Amino acid sequence: MARIVMKFGGTSVADIARIRNVARHVKREVDAGHEVAVVVSAMAGKTNELVAWVQDASKAEGANFNIYDAREYDAVVASGEQVTSGLLALTLQAMGIHARSWQGWQIPIRTDNAHGAARIQDIDGSFLIKRFGEGQVAVIAGFQGIGPDNRIATLGRGGSDTSAVAIAAAVKADRCDIYTDVDGVYTTDPRIEPKARRLAKISFEEMLEMASLGAKVLQVRSVELAMVHKVRTFVRSSFEDPDAPGMGDLLNPPGTLICDEDEIVEQQVVTGIAYAKDEAQISLRRVADRPGVAAGIFGPLAEANINVDMIVQNISEDGSRTDMTFTVPSSDLGKALAVLDRSRETIGFELVQHDTGMAKVSVIGIGMRSHAGVAATAFKALSEKGINIRAITTSEIKISILIDGAYTELAVRTLHSVYGLDKQ
Ligand code: ADP
Ligand code: ASP
Ligand code: MG
């Protein structure tokens, strides 16, 4: 007997027929004698619809961005998961399985107070372990918990992955299966590169980079938790026949295992390509070149909760003025410009230029630590396709390149092929 946490994403629970299919996956594990907890997302598209309603309802007159109360945002957007958890519990009951739905506050899944992007702080596993003891399948609403203010808090978009891994860690599950609409983690998003290949295994560190750099197959925080708590996490498909051979394999189910680096025998130099669209570039021209300027620019942006990403500063020619370029999500551009305008005097710059519709394309691989020339290969390949590079940032295991968003697909496919990722 094993203890398994199964998470099903939005497309997997998009309607009642799919929820029935999910229930068959659950039944397979229950019939095999395992203890099972299930985490569900809202039906596909539901959370987007709820977010749009919140924005519409809270649009401030005359403002070009929404100001909304994050606690009420959470009250609204957490509702999608309440529906699917109840529906799956009902479906399981109709199949003769002892199942019950639970909301985040009932477990409770305790979070911090950062409404809209809360972090899980504590889950007392004993509540669920008691349910296992009663032979119950607990169906838990993902994406939500309860904050110190005693209100529902949501975990940021894609947060049900994090709910699942956190629960798996709390109950010391043998496995956490993230069921989605693809059958594993691929070398790049299979939606934009059909030649992408499924990886049998990927290291925690690489998955962390892939997720942070745009591969939304797993929420970043879920990978962090899996890494810290050593949760054996698989990404696999809910669309495969639940009773096909091998689906119930305990140690090696079909899909991609996220694991420690040393479990991966054949290490490639480059493991994957990720991309993030909808980045905006902001350049401050002729900024005073003196200590405290960067703090003066990025401090107020951080206080306004704006996520600044790539930062490039030139060395000034004469030590008096320099240029500073950085990126923010396009949706935050208006807010960022307003913040910069307010601190213009204190920072001391002459001109702000901005551009939306940028994309960041990244090459990821732990093999880069010990291989030279990976970046040069990317630059050459992109230049041969006439793609202009606007900014570059690197770390030990990744290279990120900012380009015009119109070239995203071309850049991803070019990089995917130049590192041989489309070959077996
Ligand atoms: P869910 O609703 O199940 O949480 P998501 O839409 O959040 O599913 O994540 C699955 C999607 O992630 C896939 O449909 C795929 O398009 C996308 N994706 C992006 N990068 C990758 C990748 N490297 N491997 C697999 N899927 C990826
Ligand atoms: N339903 C939430 C979202 O769309 C959480 C999730 O799907 O993981 O972001
Ligand atoms: Mg997701």
Side-chain angles (χ1 to χ4, degrees), residues 53-75:
W53 287 347
V54 169
Q55 289 173 336
D56 198 13
S58 52
K59 188 122 196 151
E61 222 168 297
N64 62 355
F65 53 90
N66 291 293
I67 307 166
Y68 52 72
D69 181 316
R71 284 163 296 190
E72 299 310 337
Y73 166 95
D74 279 349

Side-chain angles (χ1 to χ4, degrees), residues 7 158 161 216-217:
K7 178 261 171 178
D161 299 330
K216 64 165 190 161
V217 60

Side-chain angles (χ1 to χ4, degrees), residues 91-160:
T91 312
L92 287 167
Q93 288 173 4
M95 287 178 167
I97 295 171
H98 176 35
R100 181 64 61 207
S101 71
W102 301 98
Q103 306 307 297
W105 61 268
Q106 290 172 306
I107 306 266
I109 296 174
R110 296 202 183 278
T111 71
D112 64 13
N113 223 356
H115 283 278
R119 284 166 78 92
I120 295 177
Q121 293 198 315
D122 178 57
I123 302 175
D124 180 359
S126 62
F127 177 93
L128 290 168
I129 291 168
K130 188 153 175 273
R131 298 287 150 337
F132 294 143
E134 294 161 0
Q136 185 194 98
V137 173
V139 184
I140 303 153
F143 182 50
Q144 51 164 278
I146 182 160
D149 57 357
N150 203 31
R151 300 192 61 93
I152 295 176
T154 63
L155 310 179
R157 297 305 305 271
S160 300

Side-chain angles (χ1 to χ4, degrees), residues 52 58 70 74 76-77 80 114 119 176 192 285 292 307 341-342 346 365:
S58 52
D74 279 349
V76 176
V77 301
R119 284 166 78 92
C176 179
I192 75 166
R285 302 290 179 201
N307 225 336
D341 199 46
R342 279 200 295 275
T346 34

